[in-house]
Amino acid sequence: GENVEQHPSTLSVQEGDSAVIKCTYSDSASNYFPWYKQELGKRPQLIIDIRSNVGEKKDQRIAVTLNKTAKHFSLHITETQPEDSAVYFCAVYGGSQGNLIFGKGTKLSVKP
Amino acid sequence: NAGVTQTPKFQVLKTGQSMTLQCAQDMNHNSMYWYRQDPGMGLRLIYYSASEGTTDKGEVPNGYNVSRLNKREFSLRLESAAPSQTSVYFCASSEFRGLGYTFGSGTRLTVV
């Protein structure tokens, strides 16, 4: 089955710096790659997603890049702000798995 | 619109007790899911219902049962609670399987 690995597990940056979180997957047939943000004590919420026919997608300060050949995708947050502090989960869909498979999460801390 | 509503928000059970977690969505979504979230483990799928009238096991189904009561409602039952089931439980729904999940606010369950 699909295996999703997410790195790093924790990330601490200074306000204004950039943050990058990377996920790798194993099933080359996977075709949908969302990212979720979960603030402390809250529900996960979809922040950006990308499909396999696109290499990059941006939405203001966040972007996702996909390398299908290498089977990895990354979340990029620029000009980080304290409100970006949260746990971020990548997920993968498609291939032999009929449901989203989540990474184990990255706890991002943005220090003012 | 309420989105995905879960009840209760908090629950403490004694080992061996039973309970049902309720989930309802008002978005006319076809697919519904139950996940558990444990520290360092990410989100693990317990059961899912791809469409009304169907249910299937996910990654960690042991000790749980589900019922897709109608298109709106999907309940999770613990027949004989164990301390290993202490977790935060999230219900989610999507229009199509695997895509565009909306999560409920979660149920924090403690089994003593």
Side-chain angles (χ1 to χ4, degrees):
Chain A
E2 178 67 272
N3 183 38
V4 180
E5 294 192 1
Q6 183 172 346
H7 297 282
S9 57
T10 60
L11 179 60
S12 181
V13 299
Q14 289 293 134
E15 182 176 0
D17 287 350
S18 296
V20 181
I21 303 168
K22 182 177 177 179
C23 285
T24 61
Y25 60 98
S26 58
D27 191 338
S28 57
S30 297
N31 55 22
Y32 175 65
F33 309 92
W35 285 90
Y36 287 80
K37 175 183 180 182
Q38 186 179 29
E39 296 176 355
L40 188 62
K42 302 286 183 64
R43 73 191 77 190
Q45 291 192 301
L46 177 68
I47 56 172
I48 195 168
D49 56 11
I50 193 168
R51 295 182 185 272
S52 59
N53 59 347
V54 176
E56 183 176 4
K57 183 177 179 180
K58 290 183 179 179
D59 183 3
Q60 300 183 330
R61 295 186 298 107
I62 61 172
V64 56
T65 57
L66 172 65
N67 184 326
K68 283 210 70 179
T69 303
K71 290 187 280 188
H72 66 73
F73 58 110
S74 298
L75 178 70
H76 304 255
I77 306 174
T78 58
E79 300 174 21
T80 53
Q81 301 168 4
E83 52 264 39
D84 294 328
S85 296
V87 177
Y88 292 81
F89 292 96
C90 65
V92 175
Y93 173 75
S96 61
Q97 281 288 342
N99 298 295
L100 277 181
I101 305 298
F102 287 86
K104 288 184 167 51
T106 296
K107 183 177 181 180
L108 173 64
S109 300
V110 180
K111 298 180 178 180
Chain B
N1 286 343
V4 179
T5 303
Q6 279 184 244
T7 55
K9 292 191 186 302
F10 301 94
Q11 184 72 49
V12 178
L13 288 179
K14 294 182 179 179
T15 298
Q17 286 185 318
S18 62
M19 78 162 296
T20 299
L21 281 64
Q22 306 287 354
C23 176
Q25 52 92 7
D26 62 3
M27 297 171 287
N28 201 35
H29 283 172
N30 293 302
S31 302
M32 298 185 74
Y33 316 84
W34 277 104
Y35 283 86
R36 61 178 288 173
Q37 184 175 33
D38 303 291
M41 299 297 292
L43 291 154
R44 293 184 293 168
L45 183 64
I46 305 171
Y47 270 92
Y48 66 96
S49 171
S51 60
E52 185 179 359
T54 69
T55 60
D56 283 288
K57 295 178 181 179
E59 181 185 356
V60 288
N62 290 347
Y64 306 95
N65 283 299
V66 290
S67 295
R68 182 77 183 263
L69 304 170
N70 48 54
K71 192 171 186 179
R72 291 186 63 248
E73 299 173 287
F74 187 39
S75 63
L76 177 71
R77 182 161 178 84
L78 287 71
E79 291 290 352
S80 179
S84 60
Q85 295 178 303
T86 293
S87 187
V88 179
Y89 291 85
F90 285 100
C91 177
S93 71
S94 64
E95 185 175 5
F96 301 109
R97 191 173 161 194
L99 307 180
Y101 281 22
T102 299
F103 283 88
S105 57
T107 297
R108 185 173 294 276
L109 174 67
T110 302
V111 183
V112 298

